[in-house]
Amino acid sequence: FAIDSNLSVHTDNPDLTPCFQNTILAWIPSIYLWSALPFYLLYLKHNKRGYIVLSMLSRFKTLFGVLLWCVSWADLFYSFHELLQNRTPPPVYFVTPLIVGITVLLATLLIQYERLRGVQSSGVLIIFWFLSVLCAVGPFRSKIMTTALPEEAVKKFRFTTFYIYFALIIVELILSCFKEKPPFFSPVNTDPNPCPELTSGFLSRLTFWWFTSMAILGYKRPLEDKDLWSLNEDDTSKVIVQQLSKEWDKEKFHSSRKEDVTYMKRSNNVLNHTGDGLQEAEVLIRHKKHNRKPSFLKALLRTFGSYFLIGSFFKLIQDLLSFVNPQLLSALIGFIKNKDAPAWWGYVIAALMFICAVLQTLILHQHFQYCFVTGMRLRTGITGVIYRKSLVITNSAKRSSTVGEIVNLMSVDAQRFMDLMTFLNMLWSAPLQIFLALYFLWQTLGPSVLAGVAVMVLLIPFNSAIAMKTRAFQVEQMRYKDSRIKLMNEILGGIKVLKLYAWEPSFSEKVLEIRKNELRVLKKSAYLNSLSNFAWISAPFLVALTTFAVYVSVDEKNILDAEKAFVSLSLFNILKFPLSMLPQVISNIVQVRRTWYRSCFQQLEQTEPQMSLVSGMQRSLASTCNAISVTNASFSWGKELKPSLKDINLLVPSGALVAVVGHVGCGKSSLVSALLGEMEKLEGEVAVKGSVAYVPQQAWIQNATLKDNILFGQAPNEQKYQNVLEACALKTDLEVLPGGDQTEIGEKGINLSGGQRQRVSLARAVYSNSDIYLLDDPLSAVDSHVAKHIFDKVIGPDGVLKGKTRILVTHGISFLPQVDHIVVLGDGKISEMGSYQDLLKQNKAFAEFLRNYALDEDIEEDEPTGTELLFLTTSSLHIQRGGTSTYGCEVCVFYTVQTLDCGSCTNHLCCVILQVKLTVFWQYMKAVGPVTSLVICFLYCCQNAAAIGANVWLSDWTNEPVINETQHNTTMRIGVYAALGLLQGLIVLISSFTLAMGGISAARSLHTALLENKFHTPQSFYDTTPTGRIINRFSKDIYVIDEVIPPTIVMFFGTFFSSLSTMIVIIASTPLFAVVIVPLAILYFFVQRFYVATSRQLKRLESVSRSPIYSHFSETVSGASVIRAYGRVKSFIDISDLKVDENQKSYYPGIISNRWLGIRVEFVGNCIVLFAALFAVIGKNSLNAGLVGLSVSYALQVTLSLNWMVRMTSELETNIVAVERIKEYSETETEAPWVIEGKSPPEDWPSKGELEFVNYSVRYRKGLDLVLKGLNLQVHGGEKIGIVGRTGAGKSSMTLCLFRILEAAKGEIKIDGVKIAEIGLHDLRSRLTIIPQDPVLFSGTLRMNLDPFNKYSDEEIWKALELSHLKRFVSSQPSMLDYECSEGGENLSVGQRQLVCLARALLRKTRILILDEATAAVDLETDDLIQMTIRTQFEDCTVLTIAHRLNTIMDYTRVLVLDNGTVAEFDTPANLIASKGIFYSMAKDAGLA
């Protein structure tokens, strides 16, 4: 039975012994099938996808299977026939046909069973047929060879059956590669675009061939949402989150076995929704064990562990395979040395190398596929669970973590988990690889390996020290970056104010200062990076050097030959990866653990959804007539806090209107929350009967259309909807909004005024048509007359809601007489209850409350010019002219976005991108410096030359003849080798330095240009461009240029040159290789183009679809109480799942595209290995062993660099766009120069303060109508002019013209006879003073806010503060003038902010003061202060006031009435009233005439 080595190996015509052929070879496929069968059957049992109709393909497969069986058994019967004829055949002839026959029959039955289970293409069988063919090739050849010999005539029958058998298995193999039709009766697939993966064949899945259609599509045209495939069922949120929640519930259940058994039984039914007796029994037995906290990790492991382990199994096989090639390399070198070896050995070795490499590729990518899909499912699961949790989270838990933290947890940490998945296997795989590599190295070189390993181990702390330092730098740099972005955000928010005050230079300096620090840190970390690059590239070399040096020096008899040198080199290369990865993986895991502990997974592990709402709904308690009954109840915001409401007793009859009043902070809102079940009930009973609608104090508005916000998931009913709009006074607002009720409302309702938001929130409640209405002060945000309208039409006794139970928290005293009951709260207790009349008679707290508030109420009644309406109309005006107010601007943006046709836009974009590529690269090179760029390329060439030199020298050294068992001049050899290697390391260091410096100088110049341009950009640009878009340039794009592009370029150059040097080496050693390069390069190029185009668009789609998940989440968290009150939790969960699935839909093809690319590119690499080995075998006689070792060991490394080269090209192409985007924004049109040399006005200009408009017209932007039309007017020095007019008459435009924020369309303005169009902007703007409408403050000290240029002394500043009535406030602060204002001046009241603006004006004290009177913000008191100061301090100046409150300008010199952009009236107030024109009617409205 033994293999005869003379017959099989040492011959030019090898063959295997008949005995071996008939046993081992014939049995291999059978052994495989029988061992795989049980697992496969188990899998089929669990996965049924409907059966497949019997097709021609299936019939043929079965037919050939039966034929095979017949053929095998024909052999068997032939053996029996021989027995009968007394020729006893050997037992093999009975056993083998029997086994083969049964196995083939089994395979045939399996074909049918698979068809019934809906398997379209079977991997198990394909491998079986493939093995059968493989094992039959040998016997087939030997049989053909033996047929030529004459004496074998006897075996004719067996030969014939074998040939038939061979033909049939080949046919079976070919047939099994085709796939069946999709299963019948499978669950109906309504999918418009199902993922082809499910229906693709086994081979297609193995090579990811099914992805090719998308790769081609993405190459032809930009991908859109509709091109993406639907998710596989198993990857959808619905399935995953369900599984995870189930495991999590089990986990909680197992861990919460308390002592109290009966209690457990109850909650068991709640948790598992079953009353299963078994579990209860189990509880009784186990209840003595101590408690452990439920671990979310365990639930995750149970849910995703098994799937992940399949991937780990693949990884194991791949690790083992990776050590086969070095062994084959050693065999190949041995073969080259041995001049009499038969040629077929070489071919077999080459073929084996190729097969091994291909297998490795296929298996590795299967492993990655499993890992990434696990990661993706993990993110879906965690996101889903956190989302569901956030909807039921208790208030005490909510206080301990902010919305931002939870969103962060959801985005960043879930992402971290996802990234960890790919590394997790390295935990066991890296030590395994290290162990195996060391074992083989020891076999090759003996103990001297330890020297090399020592070097590697020493490099680890060096690398980790660098990594620690880099991380520290990153943190520092993040801090600078954050502060820079924050400052930019404020600057862009207040850009108009900066322009009006001419403060740009001061702020520009501040930004550049931060930027300087940021780049300083970047530079440091760049130095560190180049050090670590140096370590990374020199490591394998240093290791090899020390090992070889020690090996040669230890013993003269130690000879370094090609086999030892190159085999150990390739082993060291394998060793490099796990050694570098291990520290990374460990630090990643540590990070994830840290996030795990800080995360609200803790919360996931602690808080139970509160039950008070549910218990509150025990309807049986509520007696029929009372809608709400609360008896002896106390509530707190958290179990550990003291109760905020004590001893509440409250009965509300059905259909009553109850007002809740009390001073601020007495627990009115808490009472409403308690009724909603949002608070912890400490004692007592609460019953609420019927459905609830809730209007919170701060309106919660979704990012959806206005109509969706009101319907809030109810069925639309037009009639009802219109009535609701009418009642809530929203009709007028809809006319103002650009899209009517289809207007997209920004996040948090940004483009609605406060009053509008409140009314939408109320409309939602009214539309919901519930039984009980809890209204938490809905009337505070709206104006008094609007409030009256809403009370009459909606809430009051004759409103839409009459007959419903209403609880109204209010401050408005005027409504109290009309309500049924009044509840007065004081310090968390109900102090009195009763009707209005009763309470007045009691003359207790309530009566006093009335007296306090009545005064305020009168003041409000004084001026019925609803600020609310004004606010609305101003915002409408802004929209018409493209928005200068924050609101108008937003609306405008939404509107434009909606009208764009997205498709055309992206297509256009893509065409642009292709032409742009080279010019953009050229722009970046210019920014780096053309000379630097060339130097970098040159250095890279040198570095690779040195590397090749070192290896060529090594191969030359290994060929040195051996004399008396020793090699000569080893020291010289070692010396040169070391010199070449260290030279390479040095050049690496220098080149990474230069590149880093070049990258930083590019970053600096690009940012400076962008900033410079943005400060010089006219205001109209900011009115039409959302701030977010500009901020994005400053944050995202600058970040890409700072930190993404340089390392990508380093990687790209590295991989590019290493691939190049491989080609050079292989061609140099085997020139024949040049023939193959061209087809391989073409193949590579095609794969790369397809991949880059497709993957870039998938990335884009993925990032576009990611942000809605988080914005929807943060919206949900902030509106959780509303969502719960309306009972819409389920549908919100569905929306969230949908958003997550949408995102995964573009993420999944992104993963697959990497696998697709990897397999194709690595195949090119494997071909290179094959041809390098093959040509080495062909040219065996002219080559020496050293050269072969060199060329093949280079080829073995090339796959990795080829793969990374494509990835880096893609990265570069994706990211270089940032340069272009920044360029685009650095070249927008600019306003007039700040200072014109030689045209500066005299120092004391304007001395008189005379203004003259000459035939002056202006428009906001090109293409819009004129806002001011042919104004002619003259203002003398020192006059006080009031400017009035209806909204949209052009009042604010006049001020903007004076400052040349708007440039004249025709005509001119003269100040003291100087034409303002002819002087520099800063000369003009610094000589005028304005107190703008909305006071803008910047974060920084108070002093900086008053005097950014440090022009004034402390005394002057204190004087200004005193005059603006801020001195008391500022001097009471510990830091006085250095009092820190927070962003936007949040820590000052609005009135104080207005006074700061006044102080600015007082400091400047120019001859012309423009006062854009604040409308909504300022209380009357502040307003009077400002007016008074202006009258006294600016007595001799020209004052222009844009007035909204006419009483402020009744004593002015003259009043200018504008109407529709023209001068309607211009005279003294008295004359205007007498002439009964426009001004008169306005004064009459205001009650002044």
Side-chain angles (χ1 to χ4, degrees), residues 1428-1448:
M1428 201 171 71
T1429 312
I1430 287 168
R1431 290 205 173 82
T1432 52
Q1433 294 304 311
F1434 293 94
E1435 213 167 349
D1436 47 352
C1437 306
T1438 310
V1439 180
L1440 300 177
T1441 303
I1442 293 178
H1444 296 283
R1445 298 197 176 116
L1446 296 188
N1447 50 6
T1448 53

Side-chain angles (χ1 to χ4, degrees), residues 122-138:
S122 155
V124 175
L125 285 178
I126 288 181
I127 296 174
F128 170 70
W129 295 123
F130 180 68
L131 280 175
S132 305
V133 171
L134 210 61
C135 293
V137 171

Side-chain angles (χ1 to χ4, degrees), residues 43 98-99 132 285 288 417 473 698 754 762 767 799 874 887 974 996 1202 1215 1239 1280 1352 1472 1489:
Y43 166 78
L98 184 67
I99 292 181
S132 305
I285 299 161
K288 291 191 182 64
F417 264 96
F473 281 147
Q698 259 141 6
L762 187 64
Y767 190 85
T874 42
Y887 297 131
I974 291 178
L1202 283 178
N1215 289 319
K1239 284 279 180 78
K1280 310 281 179 284
Y1352 304 101
L1472 287 178

Side-chain angles (χ1 to χ4, degrees), residues 917 921 1048 1051-1052 1055-1056 1084 1088-1089 1091-1092 1096 1202-1216:
K917 278 292 151 44
F921 277 115
T1048 311
M1051 285 285 295
F1052 175 73
T1055 52
F1056 174 71
Y1084 181 75
Q1088 187 244 11
R1089 288 321 311 159
Y1091 166 78
V1092 169
R1096 200 173 58 227
L1202 283 178
N1203 202 337
W1204 274 103
M1205 194 159 92
V1206 180
R1207 296 269 181 98
M1208 288 301 122
T1209 321
S1210 165
E1211 282 282 282
L1212 253 185
E1213 290 192 11
T1214 310
N1215 289 319
I1216 203 79

Side-chain angles (χ1 to χ4, degrees), residues 1272-1337:
N1272 279 304
L1273 64 118
Q1274 211 166 1
V1275 176
H1276 309 298
E1279 275 198 300
K1280 310 281 179 284
I1281 304 288
I1283 305 175
V1284 297
R1286 297 256 177 250
T1287 322
K1291 305 190 293 286
S1292 306
S1293 317
M1294 265 186 76
T1295 55
L1296 298 178
C1297 300
L1298 280 173
F1299 285 89
R1300 280 179 61 197
I1301 300 281
L1302 299 179
E1303 296 285 4
K1306 62 172 194 286
E1308 59 196 18
I1309 301 179
K1310 293 181 187 168
I1311 298 182
D1312 277 9
V1314 177
K1315 291 180 184 171
I1316 65 169
E1318 289 173 4
I1319 58 177
L1321 288 180
H1322 277 190
D1323 285 334
L1324 167 69
R1325 291 172 184 171
S1326 58
R1327 308 296 172 84
L1328 303 175
T1329 310
I1330 184 166
I1331 300 181
Q1333 186 172 5
D1334 30 0
V1336 176
L1337 267 66

Side-chain angles (χ1 to χ4, degrees), residues 197-216:
E197 180 186 13
L198 289 173
T199 53
S200 55
F202 170 74
L203 293 176
S204 167
R205 281 186 181 199
L206 200 60
T207 56
F208 296 96
W209 185 258
W210 53 270
F211 180 77
T212 312
S213 61
M214 183 176 280
I216 294 172

Side-chain angles (χ1 to χ4, degrees), residues 68-137:
L68 270 170
W69 172 62
C70 299
V71 169
S72 313
W73 280 26
D75 262 1
L76 184 66
F77 292 131
Y78 183 65
S79 302
F80 282 121
H81 169 71
E82 282 186 318
L83 254 183
L84 294 176
Q85 297 195 344
N86 297 329
R87 290 202 305 270
T88 35
V92 164
Y93 284 129
F94 291 103
V95 179
T96 302
L98 184 67
I99 292 181
V100 172
I102 293 176
T103 311
V104 179
L105 192 60
L106 176 75
T108 315
L109 291 172
L110 199 55
I111 294 175
Q112 287 308 316
Y113 184 60
E114 285 179 337
R115 179 177 71 79
L116 294 177
R117 304 303 287 183
V119 177
Q120 288 176 269
S121 164
S122 155
V124 175
L125 285 178
I126 288 181
I127 296 174
F128 170 70
W129 295 123
F130 180 68
L131 280 175
S132 305
V133 171
L134 210 61
C135 293
V137 171

Side-chain angles (χ1 to χ4, degrees), residues 796-816:
D798 310 323
V800 185
L801 300 181
K802 64 167 183 278
K804 307 272 190 191
T805 312
R806 292 144 293 171
I807 292 193
L808 170 69
V809 173
T810 183
H811 286 139
I813 290 174
S814 50
F815 310 126
L816 293 181

